[in-house]
Amino acid sequence: KAIVSLIFQSGQAYGLSQEYETAIDYYDEYIDLVESSSVENGDLLVSDALFEKSKIYAFRFNPDFDIAIETMKECLDKKKKSYGQDDERVALVAFELAKIYEKAGLHAECIEFY
């Protein structure tokens, strides 16, 4: 479990240093490890990595809004499943999704999540 956590933290470190492709590789490896094991709260752990990946896709120098939106929606679904619709952690993900829609110029879609 400690190694899996270090992989997630490596993704965060590379993201902060703007080495986005490497960060995404670490998040993908983390997701694969969590999904292939019987880690408790696996959906929540995966959703955390999806959240970070989505922000990279949306806010890096050359954004890919389609992937960012798809990834954040997957994160939102996992958070809703784990915490319920009215949880503040779900609201945070919905807010981030709205920011991505807004940055992509999809204003009608972003209103749904603000």
Side-chain angles (χ1 to χ4, degrees), residues 16-28:
L16 289 171
S17 65
Q18 298 182 350
E19 295 181 45
Y20 299 124
E21 296 306 319
T22 304
I24 288 170
D25 289 342
Y26 273 98
Y27 289 131
D28 286 339

Side-chain angles (χ1 to χ4, degrees), residues 14-80:
Y14 280 107
L16 289 171
S17 65
Q18 298 182 350
E19 295 181 45
Y20 299 124
E21 296 306 319
T22 304
I24 288 170
D25 289 342
Y26 273 98
Y27 289 131
D28 286 339
E29 183 178 349
Y30 175 81
I31 290 168
D32 289 344
L33 284 170
V34 170
E35 289 180 338
S36 67
S37 65
S38 57
V39 176
E40 186 177 336
N41 298 321
D43 267 356
L44 290 175
L45 297 174
V46 168
S47 71
D48 291 340
L50 292 171
F51 185 81
E52 297 298 330
K53 277 180 62 176
S54 179
K55 290 193 311 182
I56 289 172
Y57 281 118
F59 299 108
R60 64 185 181 180
F61 298 116
N62 56 341
D64 187 330
F65 294 117
D66 291 337
I67 293 175
I69 290 167
E70 176 184 325
T71 305
M72 194 63 79
K73 281 183 169 181
E74 187 179 349
C75 174
L76 183 61
D77 289 343
K78 289 182 181 302
K79 294 283 186 184
K80 283 181 182 178

Side-chain angles (χ1 to χ4, degrees), residues 4-17:
V4 173
S5 178
L6 286 174
I7 292 171
F8 182 82
Q9 292 170 357
S10 295
Q12 289 178 310
Y14 280 107
L16 289 171
S17 65

